Amino acid sequence: MTIILMGRTIPSYRIASEMERSKWRPFRNALGKKERKIFDEMLSIPRLYNAAGTMACRPILIHVILMSIIFEHYKQLSKQNLKIS
């Protein structure tokens, strides 16, 4: 994925998160076919929280990405707990 940045010294959160995602391609390629699909689904979660990620203003991008994934998983677990209760 080639991204050309013009007129900006720092890429937007959305573009930077896609750049981070591409850095994980070697790891993804080492996974099995089924695991790749799950990995892709996991790495698509931060897209749901682009607005929040932009506002987080964290210097280490992976922290925001991981927090988005953790938050989404927490929400899913909470829903499951409500169904069980």
Coordinates of all heavy atoms in Angstrom, one line a residue:
M1 N 0.9 -1.2 0.0 CA 0.0 0.0 0.0 C 0.9 1.2 0.0 O 1.7 1.5 0.9 CB -0.9 0.0 1.2 CG -1.7 1.1 1.4 SD -2.6 0.9 3.0 CE -4.0 2.0 2.7
T2 N 0.8 2.0 -1.0 CA 1.6 3.2 -1.1 C 0.7 4.4 -0.8 O -0.3 4.6 -1.4 CB 2.2 3.4 -2.5 OG1 2.9 2.2 -2.9 CG2 3.0 4.6 -2.6
I3 N 1.2 5.2 0.2 CA 0.5 6.4 0.6 C 1.4 7.6 0.4 O 2.5 7.6 0.8 CB 0.0 6.3 2.0 CG1 -0.9 5.1 2.2 CG2 -0.6 7.6 2.5 CD1 -1.3 4.9 3.7
I4 N 0.9 8.6 -0.4 CA 1.6 9.8 -0.6 C 1.1 10.9 0.3 O -0.1 11.2 0.2 CB 1.6 10.2 -2.1 CG1 2.1 9.1 -3.0 CG2 2.3 11.5 -2.3 CD1 1.9 9.3 -4.4
L5 N 1.9 11.4 1.1 CA 1.5 12.5 2.0 C 2.0 13.8 1.4 O 3.1 14.0 1.2 CB 2.1 12.3 3.4 CG 1.8 11.0 4.1 CD1 2.6 10.8 5.3 CD2 0.3 10.9 4.3
M6 N 1.0 14.7 1.1 CA 1.3 16.0 0.6 C 0.8 17.1 1.5 O -0.4 17.0 1.9 CB 0.7 16.1 -0.8 CG 1.3 15.1 -1.8 SD 0.6 15.2 -3.4 CE 1.0 16.8 -3.9
G7 N 1.6 18.0 1.8 CA 1.2 19.1 2.6 C 1.0 18.9 4.1 O 0.5 19.7 4.8
R8 N 1.4 17.7 4.6 CA 1.2 17.4 6.0 C 2.6 16.8 6.5 O 3.2 16.0 5.8 CB 0.2 16.3 6.2 CG -1.2 16.8 6.1 CD -2.2 15.7 6.4 NE -3.5 16.3 6.6 CZ -4.2 16.1 7.7 NH1 -3.8 15.3 8.7 NH2 -5.4 16.7 7.8
T9 N 2.9 17.2 7.7 CA 4.1 16.6 8.2 C 3.8 15.4 9.0 O 4.6 14.5 9.2 CB 4.8 17.6 9.2 OG1 3.9 18.1 10.2 CG2 5.4 18.8 8.4
I10 N 2.6 15.3 9.5 CA 2.1 14.1 10.3 C 0.9 13.6 9.6 O -0.1 14.3 9.4 CB 1.8 14.5 11.7 CG1 3.0 15.1 12.4 CG2 1.2 13.4 12.5 CD1 2.8 15.7 13.8
P11 N 0.8 12.3 9.3 CA -0.4 11.7 8.7 C -1.5 11.7 9.7 O -1.4 11.7 10.9 CB 0.1 10.3 8.3 CG 1.2 10.0 9.3 CD 1.9 11.3 9.5
S12 N -2.7 11.7 9.1 CA -3.9 11.7 10.0 C -4.0 10.3 10.7 O -3.3 9.4 10.3 CB -5.2 11.8 9.1 OG -5.4 10.7 8.3
Y13 N -4.8 10.2 11.7 CA -4.9 9.0 12.5 C -5.3 7.8 11.5 O -4.7 6.8 11.6 CB -5.9 9.1 13.6 CG -6.2 7.8 14.3 CD1 -5.3 7.2 15.1 CD2 -7.3 7.1 13.9 CE1 -5.6 6.0 15.7 CE2 -7.6 5.9 14.5 CZ -6.7 5.3 15.4 OH -7.0 4.1 15.9
R14 N -6.3 8.1 10.7 CA -6.8 7.0 9.8 C -5.7 6.5 8.9 O -5.5 5.3 8.8 CB -8.0 7.6 9.0 CG -8.6 6.5 8.2 CD -9.7 7.1 7.3 NE -9.2 8.1 6.4 CZ -8.5 7.9 5.3 NH1 -8.2 6.6 4.9 NH2 -8.2 8.8 4.5
I15 N -4.9 7.4 8.3 CA -3.9 7.0 7.4 C -2.7 6.3 8.2 O -2.2 5.3 7.8 CB -3.3 8.2 6.6 CG1 -4.4 8.6 5.6 CG2 -2.0 7.8 5.9 CD1 -4.1 9.9 4.9
A16 N -2.4 6.9 9.4 CA -1.3 6.3 10.2 C -1.7 4.9 10.7 O -0.9 4.0 10.7 CB -1.0 7.2 11.3
S17 N -3.0 4.7 11.0 CA -3.4 3.4 11.5 C -3.4 2.4 10.3 O -3.0 1.2 10.5 CB -4.8 3.4 12.1 OG -5.8 3.8 11.2
E18 N -3.7 2.8 9.1 CA -3.5 1.9 8.0 C -2.0 1.5 7.7 O -1.7 0.4 7.3 CB -4.2 2.5 6.7 CG -5.7 2.5 6.8 CD -6.3 1.1 6.9 OE1 -5.8 0.2 6.3 OE2 -7.3 1.0 7.7
M19 N -1.2 2.5 7.9 CA 0.3 2.3 7.8 C 0.7 1.3 8.8 O 1.5 0.4 8.5 CB 1.0 3.6 7.9 CG 0.8 4.5 6.7 SD 1.4 6.2 6.9 CE 3.1 6.0 7.1
E20 N 0.2 1.4 10.0 CA 0.6 0.5 11.1 C 0.1 -0.9 10.8 O 0.8 -1.9 11.0 CB 0.0 1.0 12.4 CG 0.3 0.1 13.6 CD 1.8 0.2 14.0 OE1 2.4 1.2 13.8 OE2 2.3 -0.9 14.5
R21 N -1.1 -1.0 10.2 CA -1.7 -2.3 9.8 C -0.8 -3.0 8.8 O -0.6 -4.2 8.9 CB -3.1 -2.0 9.3 CG -3.8 -3.2 8.9 CD -5.2 -2.9 8.3 NE -5.9 -4.1 7.9 CZ -7.1 -4.3 8.1 NH1 -7.9 -3.3 8.5 NH2 -7.7 -5.4 7.7
S22 N -0.3 -2.2 7.8 CA 0.6 -2.8 6.8 C 1.9 -3.3 7.4 O 2.5 -4.2 6.8 CB 0.8 -1.8 5.7 OG 1.6 -0.7 6.1
K23 N 2.3 -2.7 8.5 CA 3.6 -3.2 9.1 C 3.4 -4.6 9.7 O 4.4 -5.3 9.9 CB 4.0 -2.2 10.3 CG 4.4 -0.9 9.8 CD 4.8 0.0 11.0 CE 5.1 1.4 10.7 NZ 5.4 2.2 11.9
W24 N 2.2 -5.0 10.0 CA 1.9 -6.3 10.5 C 1.7 -7.4 9.4 O 1.4 -8.5 9.7 CB 0.7 -6.3 11.4 CG 1.0 -5.6 12.7 CD1 0.9 -4.3 13.0 CD2 1.6 -6.2 13.9 NE1 1.4 -4.0 14.3 CE2 1.8 -5.2 14.8 CE3 2.0 -7.5 14.2 CZ2 2.3 -5.4 16.1 CZ3 2.5 -7.7 15.5 CH2 2.7 -6.7 16.4
R25 N 1.9 -7.0 8.2 CA 1.7 -8.0 7.1 C 2.6 -9.2 7.2 O 2.1 -10.3 7.0 CB 1.9 -7.3 5.7 CG 1.5 -8.1 4.6 CD 1.1 -7.4 3.4 NE -0.1 -6.6 3.8 CZ -0.5 -5.5 3.2 NH1 0.2 -5.0 2.2 NH2 -1.5 -4.9 3.6
P26 N 3.9 -9.1 7.5 CA 4.7 -10.3 7.6 C 4.1 -11.3 8.7 O 4.1 -12.5 8.5 CB 6.1 -9.8 8.0 CG 6.1 -8.4 7.5 CD 4.7 -7.9 7.6
F27 N 3.7 -10.7 9.8 CA 3.0 -11.6 10.9 C 1.8 -12.2 10.3 O 1.6 -13.4 10.5 CB 2.7 -10.7 12.1 CG 2.0 -11.5 13.2 CD1 2.8 -12.1 14.1 CD2 0.7 -11.5 13.3 CE1 2.2 -12.8 15.2 CE2 0.0 -12.2 14.3 CZ 0.8 -12.9 15.3
R28 N 1.0 -11.5 9.7 CA -0.3 -12.0 9.1 C 0.0 -13.1 8.1 O -0.7 -14.1 8.1 CB -1.0 -10.9 8.4 CG -2.3 -11.3 7.7 CD -2.9 -10.2 6.8 NE -4.1 -10.6 6.2 CZ -4.1 -11.4 5.0 NH1 -3.0 -11.7 4.5 NH2 -5.2 -11.7 4.5
N29 N 1.0 -12.9 7.3 CA 1.3 -13.9 6.2 C 1.8 -15.2 6.8 O 1.7 -16.3 6.2 CB 2.3 -13.3 5.2 CG 1.7 -12.3 4.4 OD1 0.5 -12.1 4.3 ND2 2.5 -11.4 3.8
A30 N 2.4 -15.1 8.0 CA 2.9 -16.4 8.7 C 1.7 -17.2 9.3 O 1.9 -18.3 9.7 CB 3.9 -16.0 9.8
L31 N 0.5 -16.6 9.4 CA -0.6 -17.3 10.0 C -1.3 -18.2 9.0 O -1.1 -18.1 7.8 CB -1.6 -16.3 10.5 CG -1.2 -15.3 11.6 CD1 -2.3 -14.2 11.8 CD2 -0.9 -16.0 12.9
G32 N -2.0 -19.2 9.5 CA -2.8 -20.0 8.7 C -4.0 -19.3 8.0 O -4.3 -18.2 8.4
K33 N -4.6 -19.9 7.0 CA -5.7 -19.2 6.3 C -6.8 -18.7 7.2 O -7.3 -17.6 7.1 CB -6.2 -20.1 5.2 CG -6.6 -19.4 3.9 CD -6.9 -20.4 2.9 CE -6.7 -19.8 1.5 NZ -7.0 -20.7 0.4
K34 N -7.3 -19.6 8.1 CA -8.4 -19.3 9.0 C -7.9 -18.2 10.0 O -8.7 -17.3 10.3 CB -8.8 -20.5 9.7 CG -9.6 -21.5 8.9 CD -10.0 -22.7 9.7 CE -10.7 -23.7 8.8 NZ -11.2 -24.9 9.5
E35 N -6.7 -18.3 10.4 CA -6.2 -17.3 11.4 C -6.0 -16.0 10.7 O -6.2 -15.0 11.4 CB -4.9 -17.8 12.0 CG -5.0 -19.0 12.9 CD -3.7 -19.6 13.4 OE1 -2.7 -19.5 12.6 OE2 -3.7 -20.1 14.5
R36 N -5.7 -15.9 9.5 CA -5.6 -14.7 8.8 C -6.9 -13.9 8.7 O -6.9 -12.7 8.9 CB -5.1 -14.9 7.3 CG -3.7 -15.1 7.2 CD -3.3 -15.2 5.7 NE -2.1 -16.0 5.6 CZ -1.7 -16.7 4.6 NH1 -2.5 -16.7 3.5 NH2 -0.6 -17.5 4.6
K37 N -8.0 -14.7 8.5 CA -9.3 -14.0 8.4 C -9.6 -13.4 9.8 O -10.1 -12.3 9.9 CB -10.3 -15.1 8.1 CG -11.7 -14.5 7.9 CD -12.7 -15.6 7.4 CE -14.0 -15.0 7.0 NZ -14.9 -15.0 8.1
I38 N -9.3 -14.2 10.9 CA -9.6 -13.7 12.2 C -8.7 -12.4 12.5 O -9.2 -11.4 13.1 CB -9.4 -14.8 13.2 CG1 -10.4 -15.9 13.0 CG2 -9.5 -14.2 14.7 CD1 -10.1 -17.2 13.8
F39 N -7.5 -12.5 12.1 CA -6.5 -11.4 12.3 C -7.0 -10.2 11.6 O -7.0 -9.1 12.1 CB -5.1 -11.8 11.9 CG -4.1 -10.8 12.1 CD1 -3.6 -10.7 13.4 CD2 -3.5 -10.0 11.1 CE1 -2.6 -9.7 13.7 CE2 -2.6 -9.1 11.4 CZ -2.1 -8.9 12.7
D40 N -7.5 -10.4 10.3 CA -8.0 -9.2 9.5 C -9.2 -8.6 10.2 O -9.3 -7.4 10.3 CB -8.3 -9.7 8.1 CG -7.1 -10.0 7.3 OD1 -6.0 -9.5 7.7 OD2 -7.2 -10.7 6.2
E41 N -10.1 -9.5 10.7 CA -11.3 -9.0 11.4 C -10.9 -8.2 12.7 O -11.4 -7.1 12.9 CB -12.2 -10.1 11.8 CG -12.9 -10.8 10.7 CD -13.6 -12.1 11.1 OE1 -13.6 -12.4 12.3 OE2 -14.2 -12.7 10.2
M42 N -9.9 -8.7 13.4 CA -9.4 -8.0 14.6 C -8.8 -6.6 14.2 O -9.1 -5.6 14.9 CB -8.4 -8.8 15.3 CG -7.9 -8.2 16.6 SD -6.6 -9.1 17.4 CE -5.2 -8.7 16.3
L43 N -8.0 -6.6 13.2 CA -7.4 -5.3 12.8 C -8.3 -4.3 12.1 O -8.0 -3.2 11.9 CB -6.2 -5.5 11.9 CG -4.9 -6.0 12.7 CD1 -3.7 -6.1 11.8 CD2 -4.6 -5.0 13.8
S44 N -9.5 -4.8 11.8 CA -10.5 -3.9 11.2 C -11.3 -3.1 12.3 O -12.0 -2.1 12.0 CB -11.5 -4.6 10.3 OG -12.3 -5.5 11.0
I45 N -11.2 -3.6 13.5 CA -12.0 -3.0 14.7 C -11.6 -1.6 14.9 O -12.5 -0.7 15.1 CB -11.8 -3.9 15.9 CG1 -12.5 -5.2 15.8 CG2 -12.3 -3.1 17.2 CD1 -12.3 -6.2 16.9
P46 N -10.3 -1.2 14.9 CA -10.0 0.2 15.1 C -10.7 1.2 14.1 O -10.9 2.4 14.5 CB -8.5 0.3 15.0 CG -8.1 -1.1 15.4 CD -9.1 -2.0 14.8
R47 N -11.1 0.7 13.0 CA -11.8 1.6 12.0 C -13.1 2.1 12.6 O -13.6 3.2 12.2 CB -12.0 0.9 10.7 CG -10.8 0.6 9.9 CD -11.1 -0.1 8.7 NE -9.9 -0.5 7.9 CZ -9.8 -1.5 7.1 NH1 -10.8 -2.2 6.9 NH2 -8.6 -1.7 6.5
L48 N -13.7 1.3 13.5 CA -15.0 1.7 14.1 C -14.8 2.9 15.0 O -15.7 3.6 15.3 CB -15.5 0.5 14.9 CG -15.9 -0.7 14.1 CD1 -16.2 -1.9 15.1 CD2 -17.0 -0.5 13.1
Y49 N -13.5 3.1 15.5 CA -13.2 4.1 16.5 C -12.3 5.2 15.9 O -11.5 5.7 16.7 CB -12.7 3.5 17.7 CG -13.7 2.5 18.3 CD1 -13.5 1.1 18.1 CD2 -14.8 2.9 19.0 CE1 -14.4 0.2 18.6 CE2 -15.7 2.0 19.5 CZ -15.5 0.6 19.3 OH -16.4 -0.3 19.8
N50 N -12.3 5.4 14.6 CA -11.4 6.5 14.0 C -11.6 7.8 14.7 O -10.6 8.5 15.0 CB -11.7 6.6 12.5 CG -10.9 5.5 11.7 OD1 -9.9 4.9 12.2 ND2 -11.3 5.3 10.5
A51 N -12.8 8.2 15.0 CA -13.0 9.5 15.6 C -12.4 9.6 17.0 O -11.7 10.5 17.4 CB -14.5 9.9 15.7
A52 N -12.6 8.5 17.8 CA -12.0 8.5 19.1 C -10.5 8.4 19.0 O -9.8 9.0 19.8 CB -12.5 7.3 19.9
G53 N -10.0 7.6 18.1 CA -8.5 7.5 17.9 C -7.9 8.8 17.6 O -6.8 9.1 18.0
T54 N -8.6 9.6 16.7 CA -8.1 10.9 16.4 C -8.0 11.8 17.6 O -7.0 12.6 17.7 CB -9.0 11.5 15.3 OG1 -9.0 10.7 14.1 CG2 -8.5 12.9 14.9
M55 N -9.0 11.7 18.4 CA -9.0 12.6 19.6 C -8.1 12.1 20.7 O -7.8 12.9 21.6 CB -10.4 12.7 20.1 CG -11.4 13.3 19.1 SD -10.9 14.9 18.5 CE -11.1 15.9 20.0
A56 N -7.6 10.9 20.7 CA -6.8 10.4 21.8 C -5.4 11.1 21.8 O -4.8 11.2 22.9 CB -6.6 8.9 21.6
C57 N -4.9 11.5 20.7 CA -3.6 12.2 20.6 C -2.5 11.5 21.3 O -1.8 12.1 22.1 CB -3.7 13.6 21.1 SG -4.9 14.6 20.1
R58 N -2.3 10.2 21.1 CA -1.3 9.4 21.7 C -0.1 9.3 20.8 O -0.2 9.1 19.6 CB -1.8 8.0 22.1 CG -2.9 7.9 23.0 CD -2.5 8.3 24.4 NE -3.7 8.2 25.3 CZ -3.6 8.7 26.5 NH1 -2.6 9.3 26.9 NH2 -4.7 8.6 27.2
P59 N 1.1 9.4 21.3 CA 2.3 9.4 20.5 C 2.6 8.0 19.9 O 3.2 7.9 18.9 CB 3.4 9.9 21.4 CG 3.0 9.7 22.8 CD 1.5 9.8 22.7
I60 N 2.2 7.0 20.6 CA 2.4 5.6 20.2 C 1.1 5.1 19.6 O 0.2 4.7 20.4 CB 3.0 4.7 21.3 CG1 4.3 5.4 21.8 CG2 3.2 3.3 20.8 CD1 4.9 4.7 23.0
L61 N 1.0 5.0 18.3 CA -0.2 4.7 17.6 C -0.8 3.3 18.0 O -2.0 3.1 18.1 CB 0.0 4.8 16.1 CG -1.2 4.5 15.2 CD1 -2.3 5.6 15.5 CD2 -0.8 4.5 13.8
I62 N 0.1 2.3 18.2 CA -0.4 1.0 18.4 C -1.2 0.9 19.7 O -2.1 0.1 19.9 CB 0.8 0.0 18.4 CG1 0.3 -1.5 18.4 CG2 1.7 0.1 19.6 CD1 -0.3 -1.9 17.1
H63 N -0.9 1.8 20.7 CA -1.6 1.9 21.9 C -3.1 2.2 21.7 O -4.0 1.6 22.3 CB -1.1 2.9 22.9 CG 0.3 2.5 23.5 ND1 1.0 3.4 24.2 CD2 1.0 1.4 23.4 CE1 2.1 2.8 24.6 NE2 2.2 1.6 24.1
V64 N -3.4 3.1 20.8 CA -4.7 3.5 20.5 C -5.4 2.4 19.7 O -6.6 2.0 20.0 CB -4.8 4.8 19.6 CG1 -6.2 5.2 19.3 CG2 -4.1 5.9 20.3
I65 N -4.7 1.7 18.8 CA -5.2 0.6 18.0 C -5.6 -0.5 19.0 O -6.7 -1.1 18.9 CB -4.2 0.2 17.0 CG1 -4.1 1.2 15.9 CG2 -4.6 -1.2 16.4 CD1 -3.0 1.0 14.9
L66 N -4.7 -0.9 19.9 CA -5.0 -2.0 20.8 C -6.1 -1.6 21.8 O -6.9 -2.5 22.1 CB -3.7 -2.3 21.6 CG -2.6 -2.9 20.8 CD1 -1.3 -3.1 21.6 CD2 -3.0 -4.2 20.2
M67 N -6.2 -0.4 22.2 CA -7.3 0.0 23.1 C -8.6 -0.1 22.4 O -9.6 -0.5 23.0 CB -7.1 1.4 23.6 CG -8.1 1.9 24.6 SD -8.4 0.8 26.0 CE -6.9 1.2 26.9
S68 N -8.7 0.2 21.1 CA -9.9 0.1 20.3 C -10.3 -1.4 20.3 O -11.5 -1.7 20.4 CB -9.7 0.6 18.9 OG -9.4 2.0 18.9
I69 N -9.4 -2.3 20.0 CA -9.7 -3.7 20.0 C -10.1 -4.2 21.3 O -11.1 -4.9 21.4 CB -8.4 -4.5 19.5 CG1 -8.1 -4.1 18.0 CG2 -8.6 -6.0 19.6 CD1 -6.8 -4.6 17.5
I70 N -9.4 -3.8 22.4 CA -9.8 -4.2 23.7 C -11.2 -3.7 24.1 O -12.0 -4.5 24.6 CB -8.8 -3.7 24.8 CG1 -7.4 -4.5 24.6 CG2 -9.3 -3.9 26.2 CD1 -6.3 -3.9 25.3
F71 N -11.5 -2.5 23.8 CA -12.8 -1.9 24.1 C -13.9 -2.6 23.4 O -14.9 -2.9 24.0 CB -12.8 -0.4 23.7 CG -14.1 0.3 24.0 CD1 -14.5 0.4 25.3 CD2 -14.9 0.8 23.0 CE1 -15.7 1.0 25.6 CE2 -16.1 1.4 23.2 CZ -16.5 1.5 24.5
E72 N -13.7 -2.9 22.1 CA -14.7 -3.7 21.3 C -15.0 -5.0 21.9 O -16.1 -5.5 22.1 CB -14.4 -3.8 19.9 CG -15.4 -4.5 19.0 CD -16.7 -3.8 18.9 OE1 -16.8 -2.6 19.2 OE2 -17.7 -4.5 18.6
H73 N -13.9 -5.7 22.3 CA -14.0 -7.1 22.9 C -14.7 -7.0 24.2 O -15.5 -7.8 24.6 CB -12.6 -7.7 23.0 CG -12.1 -8.2 21.7 ND1 -10.8 -8.6 21.5 CD2 -12.7 -8.3 20.5 CE1 -10.6 -8.9 20.3 NE2 -11.8 -8.7 19.6
Y74 N -14.4 -5.9 25.0 CA -15.1 -5.7 26.3 C -16.6 -5.5 26.1 O -17.4 -6.1 26.8 CB -14.4 -4.5 27.0 CG -15.1 -4.2 28.3 CD1 -14.8 -5.0 29.5 CD2 -16.1 -3.2 28.4 CE1 -15.5 -4.7 30.7 CE2 -16.7 -3.0 29.6 CZ -16.4 -3.7 30.7 OH -17.0 -3.5 31.9
K75 N -16.9 -4.7 25.1 CA -18.4 -4.5 24.8 C -19.1 -5.8 24.5 O -20.2 -6.1 24.9 CB -18.5 -3.5 23.7 CG -18.3 -2.1 24.1 CD -18.4 -1.1 22.9 CE -19.2 -1.4 21.8 NZ -19.2 -0.4 20.7
Q76 N -18.4 -6.6 23.7 CA -19.0 -7.9 23.3 C -19.1 -8.9 24.5 O -20.1 -9.5 24.6 CB -18.1 -8.6 22.2 CG -18.2 -7.9 20.9 CD -17.3 -8.4 19.8 OE1 -16.6 -9.5 20.0 NE2 -17.1 -7.7 18.7
L77 N -18.1 -8.9 25.4 CA -18.2 -9.7 26.6 C -19.3 -9.2 27.5 O -20.0 -10.0 28.1 CB -16.9 -9.7 27.3 CG -15.8 -10.5 26.7 CD1 -14.4 -10.2 27.4 CD2 -16.1 -12.0 26.8
S78 N -19.5 -7.9 27.6 CA -20.5 -7.4 28.4 C -21.9 -7.8 27.9 O -22.8 -8.1 28.7 CB -20.4 -5.8 28.5 OG -19.2 -5.4 29.2
K79 N -22.1 -7.7 26.6 CA -23.4 -8.2 26.0 C -23.6 -9.6 26.3 O -24.7 -10.0 26.6 CB -23.4 -7.9 24.5 CG -23.5 -6.5 24.1 CD -23.5 -6.3 22.6 CE -23.5 -4.9 22.2 NZ -23.4 -4.7 20.7
Q80 N -22.6 -10.5 26.2 CA -22.7 -11.9 26.5 C -23.1 -12.1 28.0 O -23.9 -13.0 28.3 CB -21.5 -12.7 26.2 CG -21.2 -12.7 24.7 CD -22.3 -13.4 23.9 OE1 -22.8 -14.4 24.3 NE2 -22.6 -12.8 22.8
N81 N -22.5 -11.3 28.9 CA -22.8 -11.5 30.3 C -24.2 -11.1 30.6 O -24.9 -11.7 31.4 CB -21.9 -10.6 31.1 CG -20.5 -11.3 31.3 OD1 -20.3 -12.5 31.1 ND2 -19.5 -10.4 31.6
L82 N -24.8 -10.1 29.9 CA -26.2 -9.7 30.1 C -27.1 -10.8 29.6 O -28.1 -11.0 30.2 CB -26.5 -8.4 29.3 CG -25.9 -7.1 29.9 CD1 -26.1 -5.9 29.0 CD2 -26.5 -6.9 31.3
K83 N -26.7 -11.5 28.5 CA -27.6 -12.6 28.0 C -27.6 -13.8 29.0 O -28.6 -14.4 29.1 CB -27.0 -13.0 26.6 CG -27.3 -12.1 25.5 CD -26.8 -12.6 24.2 CE -27.0 -11.6 23.1 NZ -26.4 -12.1 21.8
I84 N -26.5 -14.0 29.6 CA -26.3 -15.1 30.6 C -27.1 -14.8 31.9 O -27.8 -15.7 32.4 CB -24.9 -15.4 30.9 CG1 -24.2 -16.0 29.6 CG2 -24.7 -16.4 32.0 CD1 -22.7 -16.1 29.8
S85 N -27.1 -13.6 32.3 CA -27.7 -13.2 33.6 C -29.2 -13.2 33.5 O -29.9 -13.0 32.6 CB -27.2 -11.8 34.0 OG -25.9 -11.8 34.2

